[in-house]
Amino acid sequence: MIVLANMLVWPVWCGAANRAMQPWAQPALKTKPIMAVLWFIIPGTFIFMPWPVVRELYLASEEPLDWEDRKAPIVGWWWGLRILSYFAIWPLSIMADSTNDGFIRTLMFQILIIGELVLQILLVTRMTRWQARPKSMTAAEAF
């Protein structure tokens, strides 16, 4: 249930956050708000396109005037867990059975999902706080 809600809410939130950053980010964001949503939904692209969307959104939210050449390790960790959970769903669902082995596989999958969601919540809280600060304030001053 949580995973399904996440699949619906997260792309919409990214689109809204992207729209909020459009006037402030310099240089301009490469992803338009509608594509920030659609990249999560279009078959095939949902595997590789959300990473650049979230990365640019995270960096532009942190420092709107100097975001392009910066790094965001937390986005990489989030993306890594997301990809691992995507590729774990299929084999784990096929191999799952009623034995302890199936329980362990299911538990491993749940740990990946929980890790992804925890990092996603951290990303959302940081970006929301950064976007709410006065645009003249740096991210360091917002803490």
Side-chain angles (χ1 to χ4, degrees), residues 102-114:
F103 172 76
I104 292 170
R105 285 190 210 103
T106 303
L107 182 63
M108 288 172 30
F109 171 67
Q110 293 299 325
I111 290 169
L112 288 173
I113 292 293
I114 290 168

Side-chain angles (χ1 to χ4, degrees), residues 31-103:
T31 307
K32 299 300 176 210
I34 188 68
M35 292 313 295
V37 175
L38 292 178
W39 287 137
F40 285 88
I41 300 168
I42 297 172
T45 64
F46 70 88
I47 293 174
F48 58 90
M49 285 308 292
W51 180 78
V53 169
V54 174
R55 181 187 168 276
E56 96 174 347
L57 184 57
Y58 182 83
L59 293 174
S61 296
E62 183 180 19
E63 293 295 340
L65 301 178
D66 180 33
W67 65 269
E68 261 191 324
D69 297 326
R70 305 185 61 220
K71 299 200 182 312
I74 189 172
V75 177
W77 282 102
W78 164 78
W79 185 246
L81 288 174
R82 185 176 179 91
I83 291 298
L84 282 173
S85 65
Y86 277 151
F87 289 111
I89 289 173
W90 184 75
L92 290 177
S93 64
I94 288 176
M95 298 180 336
D97 55 22
S98 61
T99 66
N100 286 341
D101 208 28
F103 172 76

